[in-house]
Amino acid sequence: MRKNILSAVIASVMAVSAMMHVAEAADKVKIGFLVKQPEEPWFQTEWRFADKAAKDNGFEVLKIAAPDGERTLAALDSLAANGAQGFVICTPDPRLGPSIVAKAKALNLKIVAVDDRFVGSDGKFMEDVPYLGMDAHAVGQKQGSLLMDEAGKRGWKLAETGAIVNTFEELDTAHQRTSGSVESLLAAGFPKENIYFAANRTTDIPGSFDASNIMLTQHPDKKNWLIIGMNDNAVLGGIRATEGAGFKAPNVIGIGINGTDVVAELEKKDVTGLYGSLLLSPNVHGYKTTMMVYDWVAKGIEPPKFTPVSEATLITRENFKQKLKEMGLM
Ligand code: GLA
């Protein structure tokens, strides 16, 4: 009899505690994290650190792929329906800024933009929306000067060297990076007439591969190639194109930007034209933006309008494992 009472008590205590867990989960702050290209390791890393922020602070992150405008706006509805109070976003197109802001306002969701800054209908940045991003021009300049250093070390004659610049002018951060890179080339004496601009149709490896291919076909006289682009994939596509055109690794130098998306390339047994990459801080981008939204919705602390993140470290075959480990990325 006693035993029965005891087990009934235990059972009801367990039921109450289970109910409390459910209530806790329902009470948990929820924050969305929307990214334009979920297939890019860069964005997967941002997500990983957003999850870490949530785990460290007892809230929940809803990770959503937002590859186009329609899916972005639909995601905001579903965030609101699921009880989220705000979100971080790397938008598929900065010009969606005004519609994203209007919709978020209607749904009472707080926004922090990451990586790609919103652009208003007047073509200017929407400086009212809190944004975290890097100094794109400075990173581009660094890419250009490192490429020139390496070309110098290899003793290349610049007259017989071409530079393919994979551009994506629709995106300001891309423009800032590639124009910065070209500036450094010119400042270091690279001949202007050997710089070829390849407009990429999409921001992925096929996009830069196709555009770079055209340049290689148009300029068959060049012996060596520098490959420029706004991120790792923009450079990797160019590297693949030089391989297709028969160039060997010693005659090609590419330096990416991100660092996250070249790990498999640097792990390849045979050296390729990809010399290295400028490793940024996706850990900071993911963790900090998530905390900015969390502190805003949970504590009423409004984030600053602009948070620059400027670290960019060259990783090569020699040091990439160590550098990525140091940053908790490997
Ligand atoms: C853009 C690029 C990404 C990454 C981030 C860094 O969004 O598309 O690959 O470089 O910028 O801020």
Side-chain angles (χ1 to χ4, degrees):
M1 183 63 180
R2 267 228 186 117
K3 219 176 163 190
N4 278 349
I5 294 173
L6 194 62
S7 44
V9 169
I10 290 173
S12 57
V13 166
M14 278 168 64
V16 168
S17 111
M19 271 159 61
M20 276 166 65
H21 275 299
V22 171
E24 226 174 67
D27 284 351
K28 248 191 192 177
V29 168
K30 284 184 195 153
I31 287 169
F33 202 117
L34 284 65
V35 303
K36 62 175 180 180
Q37 286 179 276
E39 74 287 355
E40 249 189 26
W42 172 265
F43 293 109
Q44 292 162 13
T45 312
E46 284 187 341
W47 269 350
R48 189 144 63 78
F49 284 87
D51 271 337
K52 188 170 188 314
K55 203 166 162 232
D56 291 350
N57 294 278
F59 62 93
E60 200 181 323
V61 170
L62 307 169
K63 301 184 286 292
I64 306 178
D68 56 43
E70 202 178 315
R71 274 178 279 187
T72 303
L73 296 177
L76 301 194
D77 281 321
S78 90
L79 277 178
N82 281 298
Q85 290 167 268
F87 61 95
V88 179
I89 182 168
C90 178
T91 171
D93 181 350
R95 287 163 302 187
L96 286 169
S99 7
I100 296 172
V101 168
K103 182 127 205 174
K105 212 176 233 169
L107 295 168
N108 206 13
L109 295 167
K110 303 263 193 280
I111 314 176
V112 169
V114 70
D115 299 327
D116 301 349
R117 202 169 195 178
F118 288 177
V119 173
S121 47
D122 55 0
K124 296 200 178 101
F125 285 133
M126 297 178 72
E127 286 175 0
D128 274 355
V129 180
Y131 163 73
L132 180 146
M134 60 153 150
D135 184 342
H137 201 67
V139 173
Q141 286 175 320
K142 198 162 175 179
Q143 180 189 53
S145 55
L146 288 167
L147 284 168
M148 289 301 285
D149 289 350
E150 184 58 22
K153 278 185 202 150
R154 295 188 194 184
W156 285 4
K157 289 198 183 91
L158 297 182
E160 44 192 47
T161 302
I164 295 177
V165 187
N166 287 285
T167 61
F168 193 73
E169 298 295 347
E170 300 86 314
L171 186 63
D172 184 76
T173 185
H175 169 76
Q176 294 297 334
R177 296 178 209 183
T178 50
S179 62
S181 198
V182 168
E183 257 173 50
S184 294
L185 255 59
L186 293 173
F190 195 86
K192 198 174 176 195
E193 63 279 12
N194 291 5
I195 301 179
Y196 311 119
F197 292 90
N200 290 192
R201 212 167 44 78
T202 50
T203 56
D204 51 13
I205 292 178
S208 53
F209 175 84
D210 291 345
S212 295
N213 243 337
I214 297 171
M215 295 305 130
L216 292 167
T217 317
Q218 284 178 355
H219 304 282
D221 55 315
K222 295 290 175 293
K223 284 202 178 125
N224 311 305
W225 287 100
L226 297 178
I227 306 294
I228 288 168
M230 72 120 158
N231 62 13
D232 288 341
N233 285 339
V235 174
L236 282 172
I239 302 292
R240 295 289 90 84
T242 59
E243 289 164 355
F247 289 91
K248 299 282 174 247
N251 299 96
V252 178
I253 309 168
I255 296 177
I257 293 174
N258 277 0
T260 43
D261 311 22
V262 293
V263 177
E265 181 80 7
L266 296 177
E267 275 174 340
K268 282 182 180 170
K269 197 169 120 296
D270 296 323
V271 173
T272 72
L274 187 97
Y275 175 68
S277 175
L278 286 164
L279 173 63
L280 308 176
S281 313
N283 51 343
V284 177
H285 287 223
Y287 199 100
K288 203 164 183 167
T289 50
T290 304
M291 286 310 293
M292 279 156 68
V293 176
Y294 176 72
D295 286 339
W296 200 357
V297 301
K299 304 179 187 160
I301 305 169
E302 220 175 291
K305 297 298 182 204
F306 177 44
T307 307
V309 180
S310 48
E311 208 77 31
T313 314
L314 177 67
I315 54 169
T316 61
R317 282 184 169 252
E318 273 66 59
N319 69 354
F320 78 101
K321 283 193 181 135
Q322 182 209 329
K323 292 284 173 204
L324 289 163
K325 259 187 216 140
E326 274 169 23
M327 276 175 66
L329 299 175
M330 209 166 177

